[in-house]
Amino acid sequence: DMATEMTTINFVGVDISPIYPTAIHPRNCNFYNENITKGISQPDSAFDVVFQRNVVCGLTFEHWQRVMKEAFRVLKPGGYYECVESDVSIQNAGPQTDTVFEHLRMSMASRNVDPSIVRSLDRLMAAIGFTDIQVKEYCVPVGKWGGKVGQLWKENIFAVLQTVRPHLARAARISESQVQEIVQAMHLETLDYRSHQVIYVVYGRKPQ
């Protein structure tokens, strides 16, 4: 979308999975199937901005360090690095929602992944060498009570839960069908509870 709107700027997309759009592919936008924890095939000091989001479920503390160092490497002096993440929890949630997200955190813990690290990303960025670091928090509604944004955010959460259902089952030592039953109960809770999720936006600048 941004490449279509800003035709004089070159965009590069990187993801561990080949999930890139094919219907719309502007000439100023290129995609690479790469693992950011192992480095990417981009030259040093090549980008004005590095934007990263929704990777907290897959990164250990050591991964975060490597990824931030890689962002620092590919940024031009004065360039900006921005992370957008949640701490994998729902505020003002119902009991079934709390159960599902507890299973999710248990699954992450089995892989040495701690989602609470998103509340410390500013300190990690400072340790790598970024300056002028800013932290902003946004409360995003979950469910129809929050209008279009709330409905879209709910759909996003349930799409993620569908993908990680096998992991939730293993973490909770229950069947996938049991996980599905709990997730279905979550749908009803989004009607009864005014739940929201806190999104952390952290950005900093590579020194000149």
Side-chain angles (χ1 to χ4, degrees):
D1 290 342
M2 293 180 68
T4 300
E5 184 176 340
M6 294 177 277
T7 57
T8 61
I9 299 175
N10 291 320
F11 291 82
V12 171
V14 176
D15 201 288
I16 194 172
S17 300
I19 58 173
Y20 313 115
T22 56
I24 301 175
H25 194 160
R27 292 183 178 181
N28 58 323
C29 186
N30 292 290
F31 298 110
Y32 294 85
N33 188 196
E34 297 180 324
N35 184 340
I36 59 175
T37 66
K38 297 181 179 180
I40 59 175
S41 59
Q42 301 298 323
D44 295 351
S45 304
F47 294 90
D48 296 294
V49 176
V50 172
F51 175 77
Q52 171 187 313
R53 70 177 178 189
N54 296 342
V55 296
V56 67
C57 290
L59 300 189
T60 64
F61 176 77
E62 291 75 17
H63 285 153
W64 275 107
Q65 290 179 311
R66 291 180 210 160
V67 167
M68 287 187 173
K69 287 179 181 178
E70 190 70 349
F72 195 91
R73 178 186 71 80
V74 301
L75 276 171
K76 298 176 182 177
Y80 279 88
Y81 172 50
E82 180 177 1
C83 300
V84 179
E85 300 288 346
S86 81
D87 61 358
V88 190
S89 62
I90 302 290
Q91 308 302 316
N92 193 34
Q96 301 301 325
T97 302
D98 281 337
T99 297
V100 169
F101 275 80
E102 179 59 28
H103 292 341
L104 183 56
R105 287 189 290 272
M106 288 168 56
S107 174
M108 294 169 67
S110 70
R111 295 178 283 112
N112 295 318
V113 173
D114 180 7
S116 69
I117 196 172
V118 302
R119 298 192 289 272
S120 303
L121 293 182
D122 54 335
R123 282 171 280 180
L124 285 177
M125 290 174 65
I128 298 299
F130 289 100
T131 60
D132 302 332
I133 299 168
Q134 301 291 320
V135 179
K136 298 183 183 295
E137 298 181 17
Y138 299 91
C139 291
V140 182
V142 179
K144 290 183 179 180
W145 75 270
K148 183 177 180 180
V149 170
Q151 182 61 29
L152 288 173
W153 198 252
K154 172 192 169 183
E155 292 174 6
N156 178 67
I157 288 174
F158 279 91
V160 171
L161 292 177
Q162 186 67 25
T163 301
V164 301
R165 187 170 59 183
H167 303 288
L168 297 179
R170 282 196 296 271
R173 297 182 178 179
I174 57 179
S175 67
E176 287 190 40
S177 61
Q178 288 174 298
V179 171
Q180 186 63 22
E181 289 176 6
I182 299 173
V183 171
Q184 287 297 326
M186 282 180 60
H187 281 281
L188 297 177
E189 288 185 345
T190 62
L191 300 174
D192 299 328
Y193 292 80
R194 295 174 71 87
S195 304
H196 66 273
Q197 191 167 38
V198 179
I199 303 301
Y200 299 85
V201 178
V202 186
Y203 62 90
R205 187 172 62 89
K206 181 176 179 178
Q208 294 278 4

